[in-house]
């Protein structure tokens, strides 16, 4: 993966660790349920990596509500050095649904990695196209 030239070595290493975990968990949701709720893979200041999810109080809140609550909980929680926000969205410019992972790091500009996918109507098999990488928009590490 080509990361921004301005990215520190630590940022590149953290991105390389977070990205496979983000896509693995997203794939499991797509393959099992045909969708997934927004979640994040985060790295604390000591380098520990974990999944972060928002567990709603009710059965079917809107995705926007889940995303807002996830962002709020991460901004108000322990300090982080990196975060990868993972969304299931439609990308009109690619003409496809995509797993979108926005990687943020204290030592790098944000990067968005979008993996287009299609899901078969029968059998639910998920097929992926090559990743599309571009600049991201910060939303988790801003205070």
């Amino acid at each position: 993966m080509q990361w921004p030239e301005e990215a520190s070595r630590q940022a590149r290493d953290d991105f390389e660790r977070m990205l496979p975990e983000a896509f693995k968990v997203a794939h499991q949701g797509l393959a099992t349920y045909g969708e997934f709720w927004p979640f994040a893979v985060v790295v604390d200041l000591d380098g520990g990596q974990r999944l972060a999810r928002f567990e709603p109080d009710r059965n079917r809140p809107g995705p926007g509500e889940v995303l807002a609550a996830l962002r709020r909980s991460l901004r108000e929680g322990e300090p982080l050095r990196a975060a990868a926000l993972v969304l299931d969205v439609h990308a009109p410019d690619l003409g496809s649904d995509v797993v979108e992972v926005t990687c943020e790091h204290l030592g790098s500009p944000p990067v968005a990695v979008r993996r287009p996918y299609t899901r078969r109507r029968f059998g639910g098999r998920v097929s992926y196209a090559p990743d599309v990488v571009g600049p991201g928009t910060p939303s988790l590490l801003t205070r």
Side-chain angles (χ1 to χ4, degrees), residues 3-49:
W3 301 112
E5 287 182 24
E6 306 90 355
S8 68
R9 179 77 245 160
Q10 184 180 62
R12 293 168 194 243
D13 290 346
D14 286 342
F15 288 167
E16 294 288 338
R17 282 186 19 212
M18 291 188 303
L19 204 56
E21 182 68 12
F23 282 123
K24 179 184 93 175
V25 173
H27 173 73
Q28 289 170 343
L30 289 173
T32 305
Y33 305 108
E35 65 182 354
F36 62 88
W37 291 107
F39 69 93
V41 179
V42 298
V43 177
D44 63 30
L45 296 177
D46 295 326
Q49 181 174 295

Side-chain angles (χ1 to χ4, degrees), residues 20-86:
E21 182 68 12
F23 282 123
K24 179 184 93 175
V25 173
H27 173 73
Q28 289 170 343
L30 289 173
T32 305
Y33 305 108
E35 65 182 354
F36 62 88
W37 291 107
F39 69 93
V41 179
V42 298
V43 177
D44 63 30
L45 296 177
D46 295 326
Q49 181 174 295
R50 65 178 171 82
L51 281 179
R53 298 178 188 261
F54 173 73
E55 300 298 331
D57 291 336
R58 54 192 175 94
N59 289 342
R60 287 297 278 185
E65 182 181 339
V66 172
L67 179 57
L70 175 63
R71 285 180 171 145
R72 189 172 45 257
S73 71
L74 290 172
R75 285 189 196 132
E76 295 170 356
E78 67 180 89
L80 302 171
R81 78 176 187 209
L85 179 63
V86 188

